[in-house]
Amino acid sequence: MKPFTTIDSLADGSLYLPAQLKGLDSFDQLDLLRGAEVTRCCIPAAQRSDLAWSACLEFSSGYSLEITSSSTLVRGWDEYGTINLALAPSAVSDGDKVGLSELVGFVVGQISILRWQRDGILVDAGIEFRSKHGGEAFSAVAVDTPGAFSISFPGGAPKNWQFPEDEYARVDV
């Protein structure tokens, strides 16, 4: 995907940095993952879950979701991270990747885009999955390092998000 996000101007004058989607016409198509179990989650071997540039989730439904992030300058030195989502109807090849067992067995119930807004800027900064049973969640949210994001696991607190967790709105898809 593109290393930066196109900035849209909204009718009220706000600037919107949308998530980039590949293999999806809209967020609504993420509904294909609802009720599916995570069978595998992997990141490149040289990366960490709290500072990753790429992650791939594979689901029992046969779909895979690749997550990346982009960083875009908006005004002066103000730079914001957005989330990129690529949905494919098959598994992604291994390559030099390591598995993250913390997500295996997680059954997706609710999916939300984590949107940050302030000073006339809206940013689709992350994605959150809530479990079908029990309400646990995991997320992938842009961090301060350009093009990187952090994965938060069920039962764990978010790490390194670009802004404090309570500044993000959850927009259900």
Side-chain angles (χ1 to χ4, degrees), residues 55-75:
C56 182
L57 298 166
E58 295 177 9
F59 295 89
S60 59
S61 61
Y63 283 92
S64 66
L65 182 70
E66 181 183 10
I67 302 171
T68 59
S69 180
S70 295
S71 192
T72 303
L73 283 172
V74 176
R75 296 180 191 134

Side-chain angles (χ1 to χ4, degrees), residues 34-36 106-110 130-136:
R34 200 174 319 274
F106 186 94
V107 178
V108 176
Q110 182 59 46
R130 290 214 166 267
S131 68
K132 188 170 184 175
H133 309 290
E136 288 189 316

Side-chain angles (χ1 to χ4, degrees), residues 83-94:
I83 205 74
N84 305 326
L85 306 169
L87 187 67
S90 62
V92 176
S93 66
D94 281 344

Side-chain angles (χ1 to χ4, degrees), residues 65-157:
L65 182 70
E66 181 183 10
I67 302 171
T68 59
S69 180
S70 295
S71 192
T72 303
L73 283 172
V74 176
R75 296 180 191 134
W77 289 100
D78 292 337
E79 190 167 355
Y80 300 94
T82 56
I83 205 74
N84 305 326
L85 306 169
L87 187 67
S90 62
V92 176
S93 66
D94 281 344
D96 188 21
K97 297 189 179 204
V98 295
L100 302 175
S101 61
E102 296 92 336
L103 297 178
V104 173
F106 186 94
V107 178
V108 176
Q110 182 59 46
I111 304 168
S112 302
I113 296 300
L114 297 174
R115 186 171 289 156
W116 181 84
Q117 178 177 3
R118 182 184 292 161
D119 301 328
I121 299 173
L122 277 71
V123 181
D124 288 343
I127 187 166
E128 179 181 76
F129 297 87
R130 290 214 166 267
S131 68
K132 188 170 184 175
H133 309 290
E136 288 189 316
F138 76 87
S139 60
V141 180
V143 298
D144 278 336
T145 303
F149 61 93
S150 176
I151 299 171
S152 300
F153 298 107

Side-chain angles (χ1 to χ4, degrees), residues 15-81:
L15 301 177
Y16 176 45
L17 284 70
Q20 294 183 68
L21 305 176
K22 182 177 179 184
L24 298 158
D25 294 326
S26 70
F27 290 131
D28 294 340
Q29 287 182 287
L30 288 172
D31 196 48
L32 293 168
L33 304 178
R34 200 174 319 274
E37 179 180 332
V38 176
T39 58
R40 192 159 168 247
C41 175
C42 52
I43 61 174
Q47 297 175 22
R48 308 182 322 240
S49 62
D50 65 334
L51 191 63
W53 281 262
S54 174
C56 182
L57 298 166
E58 295 177 9
F59 295 89
S60 59
S61 61
Y63 283 92
S64 66
L65 182 70
E66 181 183 10
I67 302 171
T68 59
S69 180
S70 295
S71 192
T72 303
L73 283 172
V74 176
R75 296 180 191 134
W77 289 100
D78 292 337
E79 190 167 355
Y80 300 94

